């Protein structure tokens, strides 16, 4: 599916918005992933009078509410204009995937009372959060999912370990 700002694919988002959207998977056991295909959200390149270099911004939460853990606290940016705080830059191709048991992502968008832009467009997809348990009794890991430390135990020698995220991207290789 597609996810856009309040202006849709043809108009700008509005002034003074505070919009919360919860995106949930169709099937239980799946996780939502959003991938941005357009980003035109008002940044401030000088950094004064803004929140983390953004006049208008998105926040993404890992779960069903804005009290869920943040995946992205403040994100903005537009073609040719990055926010004064580099960690706040949201770019085309950036994606966020839920690891919450519900599989849901919550997105909150806030705009100030002046300039508006074309906003954002993103694709929404779902993937199974299930893990293949065909590893036998010689190998275990926890917690799954993890937001940081992953504990791994093996009864036999491990020569190489590859860790993949929920969307199948290799995030770590250890020899």
């Amino acid at each position: 599916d597609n996810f856009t700002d309040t202006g849709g694919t043809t108009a700008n988002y509005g002034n003074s918005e505070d919009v919360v959207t919860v995106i949930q998977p169709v099937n239980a056991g799946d996780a939502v992933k959003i991938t941005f295909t357009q980003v035109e959200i008002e940044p401030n390149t000088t950094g004064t009078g803004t929140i983390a270099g953004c006049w208008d911004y998105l926040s993404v939460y890992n779960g069903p509410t804005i009290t869920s853990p943040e995946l992205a606290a403040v994100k903005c940016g537009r073609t040719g204009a990055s926010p004064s705080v580099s960690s706040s830059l949201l770019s085309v191709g950036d994606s966020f995937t839920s690891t919450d048991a519900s599989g849901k992502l919550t997105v909150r968008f806030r705009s100030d009372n002046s300039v508006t832009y074309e906003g954002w467009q993103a694709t929404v997809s779902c993937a199974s959060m299930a893990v293949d348990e065909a590893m036998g009794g010689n190998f275990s890991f926890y917690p799954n999912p993890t937001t940081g430390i992953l504990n791994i135990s093996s009864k036999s020698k491990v020569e190489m370990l590859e860790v993949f995220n929920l969307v199948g991207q290799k995030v770590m290789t250890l020899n």
Side-chain angles (χ1 to χ4, degrees), residues 56-101:
D56 305 334
Y57 61 93
L58 275 172
S59 299
V60 182
Y61 301 88
N62 188 21
T65 69
I66 60 172
T67 60
S68 299
E70 289 180 329
L71 292 175
V74 175
K75 294 290 185 177
C76 65
R78 59 188 312 255
T79 304
S82 296
S84 59
V85 178
S86 61
S87 62
S88 294
L89 179 62
L90 180 64
S91 300
V92 169
D94 287 353
S95 64
F96 302 92
T97 303
S98 176
T99 58
D100 185 75

Side-chain angles (χ1 to χ4, degrees), residues 4-164:
T4 66
D5 60 88
T6 57
T9 58
T10 59
N12 291 8
Y13 57 81
N15 286 324
S16 303
E17 289 188 351
D18 188 351
V19 179
V20 175
T21 305
V22 179
I23 306 170
Q24 68 182 35
V26 174
N27 301 313
D30 283 356
V32 168
K33 175 184 178 183
I34 56 174
T35 304
F36 288 88
T37 57
Q38 173 186 307
V39 177
E40 296 292 329
I41 302 171
E42 184 186 18
N44 182 333
T45 56
T46 64
T48 58
T50 64
I51 296 174
C54 298
W55 291 112
D56 305 334
Y57 61 93
L58 275 172
S59 299
V60 182
Y61 301 88
N62 188 21
T65 69
I66 60 172
T67 60
S68 299
E70 289 180 329
L71 292 175
V74 175
K75 294 290 185 177
C76 65
R78 59 188 312 255
T79 304
S82 296
S84 59
V85 178
S86 61
S87 62
S88 294
L89 179 62
L90 180 64
S91 300
V92 169
D94 287 353
S95 64
F96 302 92
T97 303
S98 176
T99 58
D100 185 75
S102 69
K104 297 177 183 180
L105 286 177
T106 300
V107 179
R108 185 177 193 179
F109 176 70
R110 293 179 174 183
S111 63
D112 62 13
N113 62 2
S114 60
V115 178
T116 63
Y117 288 108
E118 294 84 11
W120 72 89
Q121 293 182 39
T123 58
V124 178
S125 59
C126 293
S128 175
M129 288 197 295
V131 173
D132 182 4
E133 299 296 340
M135 296 177 217
N138 293 331
F139 183 81
S140 65
F141 58 94
Y142 65 92
N144 181 30
T146 183
T147 57
I149 296 173
L150 178 65
N151 298 287
I152 300 168
S153 176
S154 175
K155 293 180 181 177
S156 59
K157 181 179 178 183
V158 176
E159 293 183 22
M160 185 180 75
L161 177 71
E162 293 179 326
V163 179
F164 294 83

